[in-house]
């Protein structure tokens, strides 16, 4: 990493293998682990099983082994390159079951700021199954200072299904997505993506430039609203549209100032202006929502994504010691 301009580091398989203790399928019994646990408890972990008074402690011991590695690796990497992005591929399994079966405590990694972006392995062969697996993205208890994005499987998934999954994700309050894997990104799919992606060549990356991403995404929303207004496709009275347009311009100005000059004060103004806009948005869209409820929900989701990007950017700004 000292010799190359590395953009980021991805942690993969950062866990123990899947386990079924009920049939004696467990892992983590290296000589050093057995020695350390016995030093702590006086018991060799190979002698215990589920139901034993020390089993939960043994599970916690292994969780700590993974956590401590992530913490040490993160601190070391950030010391070498503070602006480095650290991400991890993680399982979208309910936390208690996940800790019991593979000791992957990624919520703690987010909480401690060790990992910047979690890539949920929400791989699915159809959109319905993806919708079921993606529920963890909307868990309100998750720390909001790290990005959490879904992963899409490309292997053996037809191009139309992939596009359908992408559209489903874009309508949610999610800052981005991950495609797995590069070797399955076929020329035909690349052709489809090139036609449906934005024509602008230099789109900022959410994990690298969250404030600029928030600005460009809000500007896209503005263009959509203005297009519909010009086509008389927005069911809003003149006063509501006038107020939304005025506050919208204030929000664009605040986001632009933050993108051009990231600072504590500009971030505070942008967050306040966005919050005020979000609070008024349902009132402005009251009439339109009666006919186009889903469309308004998508817009609200995209405004919520802006909030997530600002929170993530705030943590990045703090960790990089760039607050002025």
């Amino acid at each position: 990493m000292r010799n190359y301009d590395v953009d980021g580091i991805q942690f993969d398989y950062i866990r123990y293998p899947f386990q079924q203790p009920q049939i004696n399928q467990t892992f983590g019994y290296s000589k050093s682990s057995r020695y350390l646990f016995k030093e702590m408890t006086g018991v060799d972990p190979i002698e215990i099983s589920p139901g034993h008074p020390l089993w939960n402690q043994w599970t916690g011991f292994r969780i700590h082994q993974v956590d401590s590695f992530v913490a040490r690796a993160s601190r070391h990497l950030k010391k070498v390159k503070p602006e480095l992005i650290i991400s991890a591929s993680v399982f979208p399994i309910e936390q208690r079951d996940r800790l019991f079966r593979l000791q992957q405590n990624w919520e703690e990694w987010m909480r401690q700021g060790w990992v910047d972006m979690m890539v949920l392995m929400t791989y699915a062969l159809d959109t319905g199954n993806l919708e079921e697996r993606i529920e963890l993205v909307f868990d309100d208890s998750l720390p909001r200072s790290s990005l959490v994005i879904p992963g899409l499987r490309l292997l053996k998934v037809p191009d139309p299904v992939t596009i359908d999954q992408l559209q489903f994700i874009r309508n949610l309050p999610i800052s981005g997505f991950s495609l797995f894997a590069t070797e399955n990104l076929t020329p035909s799919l690349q052709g489809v993506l090139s036609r449906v992606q934005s024509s602008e060549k230099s789109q900022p990356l959410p994990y690298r430039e969250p404030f600029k991403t928030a600005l460009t995404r809000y500007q896209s929303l503005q263009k959509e609203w203005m297009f519909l207004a010009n086509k008389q496709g927005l069911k809003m009275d003149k006063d509501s549209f006038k107020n939304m347009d005025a506050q919208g311009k204030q929000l664009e100005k605040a986001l632009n100032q933050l993108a051009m000059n990231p600072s504590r004060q500009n971030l505070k103004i942008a967050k306040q202006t966005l919050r005020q806009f979000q609070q008024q948005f349902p009132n402005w869209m009251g009439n339109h929502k009666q006919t186009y409820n889903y469309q308004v929900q998508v817009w609200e989701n995209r405004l919520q994504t802006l909030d997530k990007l600002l929170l993530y950017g705030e943590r990045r700004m703090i960790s990089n010691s760039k607050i002025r």
Side-chain angles (χ1 to χ4, degrees):
M1 195 174 72
R2 297 179 188 274
N3 299 326
Y4 298 92
D5 185 20
V6 177
D7 187 57
I9 296 291
Q10 165 86 352
F11 291 155
D12 199 5
Y13 280 88
I14 189 69
R15 57 180 176 84
Y16 283 88
F18 270 96
Q19 298 147 65
Q20 290 182 284
Q22 298 85 349
I23 59 173
N24 202 32
Q25 186 182 57
T26 57
F27 298 91
Y29 300 93
S30 65
K31 289 183 179 180
S32 59
S33 292
R34 290 172 62 186
Y35 172 80
L36 289 172
F37 189 78
K38 189 172 183 178
E39 281 287 297
M40 292 170 51
T41 65
V43 177
D44 187 336
I46 206 167
E47 298 174 356
I48 66 177
S49 59
H52 190 282
L54 291 177
W55 182 259
N56 286 341
Q57 190 171 345
W58 169 236
T59 299
F61 173 87
R62 289 176 292 163
I63 293 171
H64 177 71
Q65 302 311 302
V66 180
D67 286 355
S68 60
F69 174 83
V70 173
R72 291 197 307 272
S74 177
R75 285 194 293 265
H76 175 74
L77 292 168
K78 296 283 188 176
K79 185 176 181 180
V80 175
K81 189 173 184 179
E83 70 275 16
L84 185 78
I85 302 294
I86 297 178
S87 59
S89 291
V90 297
F91 278 90
I93 302 173
E94 187 273 328
Q95 185 182 31
R96 184 175 179 180
D97 185 38
R98 178 172 13 98
L99 295 180
F100 181 75
R101 296 173 63 192
L102 59 153
Q103 293 81 57
Q104 190 177 65
N105 191 22
W106 51 262
E107 292 89 346
E108 182 67 12
W109 310 347
M110 294 173 63
R111 195 170 293 111
Q112 297 296 337
W114 299 331
V115 176
D116 302 300
M117 182 168 63
M118 295 297 173
V119 182
L120 298 183
M121 294 188 287
T122 49
Y123 307 141
L125 294 175
D126 59 75
T127 306
N129 192 242
L130 172 65
E131 186 174 358
E132 294 176 3
R133 298 186 180 193
I134 212 169
E135 290 181 358
L136 270 179
V137 177
F138 308 108
D139 188 343
D140 292 335
S141 67
L142 290 178
R144 301 182 66 193
S145 56
S146 295
L147 294 182
V148 181
I149 65 173
L152 299 185
R153 167 181 170 167
L154 299 180
L155 179 64
K156 297 182 180 179
V157 177
D159 292 352
V161 175
T162 298
I163 298 303
D164 187 54
Q165 292 185 358
L166 286 173
Q167 187 57 53
F168 167 71
I169 286 174
R170 283 173 170 165
N171 291 339
L172 300 175
I174 295 174
S175 57
F177 57 87
S178 171
L179 298 177
F180 181 79
T182 302
E183 64 180 355
N184 304 124
L185 191 59
T186 62
S188 63
L189 180 57
Q190 291 185 55
V192 173
L193 292 175
S194 67
R195 292 193 295 272
V196 300
Q197 294 291 334
S198 170
S199 59
E200 298 181 28
K201 295 182 179 180
S202 57
Q203 287 286 312
L205 297 173
Y207 62 84
R208 175 59 65 193
E209 298 180 296
F211 297 147
K212 288 185 178 180
T213 301
L215 172 63
T216 57
R217 292 194 179 184
Y218 177 68
Q219 289 173 334
S220 294
L221 273 174
Q222 285 182 306
K223 291 178 182 178
E224 185 175 349
W225 293 329
M226 189 57 65
F227 174 81
L228 289 173
N230 291 336
K231 297 290 185 178
Q232 297 184 342
L234 271 181
K235 295 184 178 297
M236 298 174 63
D237 59 73
K238 291 183 179 180
D239 288 340
S240 293
F241 183 79
K242 182 179 179 180
N243 290 333
M244 188 180 82
D245 184 57
Q247 291 197 32
K249 289 177 180 177
Q250 291 179 12
L251 177 55
E252 182 184 20
K253 179 181 178 181
L255 291 173
N256 184 65
Q257 289 177 334
L258 176 62
M260 297 301 103
N261 180 26
S263 67
R264 186 187 298 273
Q265 182 62 22
N266 284 343
L267 176 61
K268 180 180 179 181
I269 293 172
K271 289 170 69 175
Q272 289 177 342
T273 309
L274 174 59
R275 189 177 304 113
Q276 292 169 359
F277 189 90
Q278 287 176 297
Q279 290 172 347
Q280 291 297 319
F281 191 74
N283 297 328
W284 296 327
M285 288 292 166
N287 291 335
H288 193 78
K289 188 173 184 178
Q290 292 179 13
T291 306
Y292 302 104
N293 179 64
Y294 181 73
Q295 187 177 48
V296 174
Q297 181 61 59
V298 169
W299 290 338
E300 290 176 340
N301 287 343
R302 291 176 180 171
L303 289 172
Q304 187 178 340
T305 298
L306 302 185
D307 184 51
K308 292 181 178 180
L309 287 167
L310 296 189
L311 288 171
Y312 169 72
E314 180 176 21
R315 188 184 70 78
R316 290 284 301 167
M317 194 164 57
I318 293 172
S319 65
N320 293 341
S321 301
K322 291 182 179 179
I323 292 184
R324 291 186 285 274

